[in-house]
Amino acid sequence: MKKTPAHTGPNLFSAFLELRAFLEATAAASFQPMLRSIAKGDGQPVIVVPAFMTGDGGTALLRRYLNAAGFNSYGWRQGRNTGIRQEFLDNLLNQVEEVSMRHDGARVSLVGWSLGGVYARAAANAEPELVRQVITLGSPFNVATTDSISGGVAKLYEWVNPGGLSDPMLAAADTWRQSPPVPSTAIYSTGDGVADWHYCIDEPGYQTENVRVPGSHMGLTHNAAVMYAVAERLAQKDGDWVPFNSNWLRRLCFRDAIAS
């Protein structure tokens, strides 16, 4: 999907609204008992990949919820995600294989928040036989550069990663721009104050979908609607994936993808 001139991306007001993340965390804590009773896992392994400049601490609440809902979730165990680096991807691929072996050869689902979703898609394209499904949370996977990110974050990326634009993984952008050959759900918010949502959606297909939620970018790992959608997607049996069902009740929180 290509960005048109009409797409202005995040602005100062939307960035200010990222403060909603604190309220979203409070609301998610209140909904935890109900959320755990709705979607039940079958013990399948799930690796959650953090956003840019965050580590496994940033996904702890989501992983704790998934564990309580019956899944076996893992952090990516690589410390802070400082950018697009081939070394990180190689380590993630090794972890996917290791976790799969730990679970008797079960395929591993990947959930990636923001830049973490770029890694999740790249890993699924590299080793599809080991990946059950991919879920991205506000991940700008449809660009090969940092054009979709707000100015402050882009400058931080350049500062943290001197010479990062020449990294082999960045040069091979098709490894995440291309839809994975496994079921894939892109969860996004049009109120995202960090990543331009136009870059966070995929071309819908027979096993590719977009799910729109209300909320901020920073709150995507502790947003009650996101938590429900992630668990509901993961709870499907391997090989029986169907698109997210936006019935009348779910439409109170979830919206169909907006055409780009």
Side-chain angles (χ1 to χ4, degrees):
M1 297 183 183
K2 295 182 178 180
K3 186 180 179 185
T4 66
H7 300 175
T8 57
N11 53 36
L12 183 61
F13 178 70
S14 59
F16 175 77
L17 288 179
E18 285 298 305
L19 295 174
R20 290 172 294 172
F22 296 104
L23 297 177
E24 290 162 0
T26 302
S30 300
F31 281 107
Q32 286 289 309
M34 182 186 73
L35 288 171
R36 285 196 293 269
S37 68
I38 294 175
K40 292 293 186 180
D42 59 359
Q44 66 155 293
V46 182
I47 297 175
V48 184
V49 188
F52 176 54
M53 292 307 292
T54 70
D56 289 332
T59 64
L61 185 61
L62 176 58
R63 287 185 287 112
R64 189 156 54 242
Y65 162 60
L66 292 177
N67 288 334
F71 304 94
N72 281 292
S73 71
Y74 299 84
W76 85 327
R77 302 183 309 198
Q78 297 193 66
R80 197 179 302 276
N81 181 350
T82 55
I84 297 175
R85 293 168 50 187
Q86 186 65 42
E87 179 184 1
F88 281 158
L89 177 58
D90 292 341
N91 290 339
L92 177 61
L93 290 171
N94 289 336
Q95 185 188 13
V96 169
E97 183 175 3
E98 174 193 324
V99 169
S100 175
M101 292 176 62
R102 182 180 303 177
H103 290 269
D104 300 321
R107 296 200 296 168
V108 181
S109 290
L110 300 175
V111 178
W113 172 31
S114 195
L115 182 59
V118 168
Y119 280 104
R121 286 172 64 98
N125 275 315
E127 299 287 353
E129 69 281 358
L130 294 176
V131 178
R132 180 165 171 171
Q133 68 173 296
V134 171
I135 301 175
T136 58
L137 311 177
S139 300
F141 50 75
N142 264 318
V143 290
T145 68
T146 56
D147 291 345
S148 68
I149 310 301
S150 61
V153 177
K155 290 179 181 178
L156 178 61
Y157 180 87
E158 294 173 0
W159 179 73
V160 172
N161 293 281
L165 296 181
S166 62
D167 189 275
M169 183 181 170
L170 187 59
D174 286 343
T175 60
W176 69 78
R177 296 180 70 184
Q178 180 179 339
S179 299
V182 299
S184 178
T185 300
I187 297 176
Y188 72 100
S189 170
T190 56
D192 194 314
V194 175
D196 185 341
W197 69 266
H198 296 91
Y199 290 118
C200 300
I201 58 177
D202 210 347
E203 191 69 40
Y206 79 98
Q207 60 177 5
T208 304
E209 65 179 348
N210 304 299
V211 176
R212 178 184 170 194
V213 298
S216 66
H217 184 87
M218 299 307 295
L220 284 170
T221 56
H222 47 264
N223 176 314
V226 173
M227 288 177 159
Y228 170 77
V230 169
E232 194 275 348
R233 298 286 76 205
L234 292 175
Q236 298 178 96
K237 294 186 180 300
D238 195 5
D240 289 337
W241 187 89
V242 294
F244 188 75
N245 178 18
S246 297
N247 59 30
W248 69 269
L249 180 60
R250 290 182 180 178
R251 287 194 187 102
L252 293 176
C253 292
F254 306 99
R255 309 283 184 84
D256 294 330
I258 296 175
S260 60

